[in-house]
Amino acid sequence: PESTHDLKNLTIYLDTPVVYALLGLSDDASIDIYKKMLEGLRELGCQIRILDRNWSEIESSLRSTIEWAYGPKYHLASASPSARVMRKKWKGKAECEGALLQSQRRLESMGVIVRPTEYLRSEDRYQIDEAAFGAKISSLYHIVGKKHCVQLEKMIENI
């Protein structure tokens, strides 16, 4: 039988390439694909998050890219896709930095929230019971059921 459960208890964590695309820092095809994926996941009731540690790394990377993209050593031949997009979209460094400052709000407007974590820097690990976490993932996988798995598969096929 098909599942009647929704995915409101399922949280999806986005990785850097997806975040870059949602911020408009990828090629247009990637941006469209990830926005459609995000919309589909939200329609299924999923919560969309970015770990705060990942977000800090993304911000740091973007700041470095801005410095390079608007600096004297910039060259199109060696530019990353995000640096190329920055130069194309924003007229100067100040405008690009302003866009970066608004990026977390832009993600929140798409339903993507930066989630604080309890990371133990001294031990280089998260405060989490990994066995319990694994059991939760396994139970959610079984709860989701065939209907939602088919919907997710169709979404992925359309990408």
Side-chain angles (χ1 to χ4, degrees):
E2 290 190 3
S3 171
T4 57
H5 295 281
D6 59 34
L7 299 180
K8 287 185 180 156
N9 292 324
L10 182 64
T11 303
I12 305 288
Y13 287 89
L14 303 180
D15 200 8
T16 304
V18 180
V19 175
Y20 269 56
L22 293 174
L23 292 174
L25 296 172
S26 297
D27 60 273
D28 291 338
S30 295
I31 293 168
D32 290 341
I33 287 168
Y34 287 126
K35 284 185 177 181
K36 286 177 185 173
M37 180 191 73
L38 184 67
E39 184 180 307
L41 290 170
R42 282 197 331 258
E43 286 175 8
L44 290 172
C46 298
Q47 297 177 40
I48 312 297
R49 303 287 183 262
I50 303 169
L51 293 174
D52 58 352
R53 185 169 183 197
N54 190 22
W55 178 247
S56 294
E57 291 170 358
I58 290 169
E59 281 185 313
S60 177
S61 173
L62 289 174
R63 281 191 177 87
S64 294
T65 302
I66 290 169
E67 287 300 318
W68 183 79
Y70 292 99
K73 294 184 180 184
Y74 175 83
H75 192 279
L76 184 62
S78 57
S80 66
S82 56
R84 287 187 198 129
V85 171
M86 286 177 183
R87 294 278 299 225
K88 186 177 177 182
K89 267 189 167 181
W90 296 292
K91 293 176 185 149
K93 182 178 173 183
E95 190 177 335
C96 193
E97 287 172 335
L100 175 60
L101 292 173
Q102 298 296 318
S103 58
Q104 189 169 344
R105 279 192 219 123
R106 285 182 50 220
L107 290 169
E108 288 171 356
S109 74
M110 293 180 239
V112 179
I113 307 298
V114 175
R115 180 184 179 267
T117 54
E118 297 178 29
Y119 187 76
L120 302 173
R121 291 195 187 276
S122 61
E123 298 179 31
D124 196 28
R125 69 176 183 84
Y126 288 95
Q127 261 184 315
I128 188 169
D129 179 345
E130 291 180 15
F133 183 69
K136 182 177 181 180
I137 295 296
S138 294
S139 70
L140 281 172
Y141 179 77
H142 294 293
I143 289 172
V144 168
K146 183 178 179 181
K147 177 183 175 188
H148 292 298
C149 287
V150 169
Q151 286 176 323
L152 286 170
E153 285 174 12
K154 285 180 182 174
M155 249 175 39
I156 291 168
E157 285 174 11
N158 290 330
I159 294 174

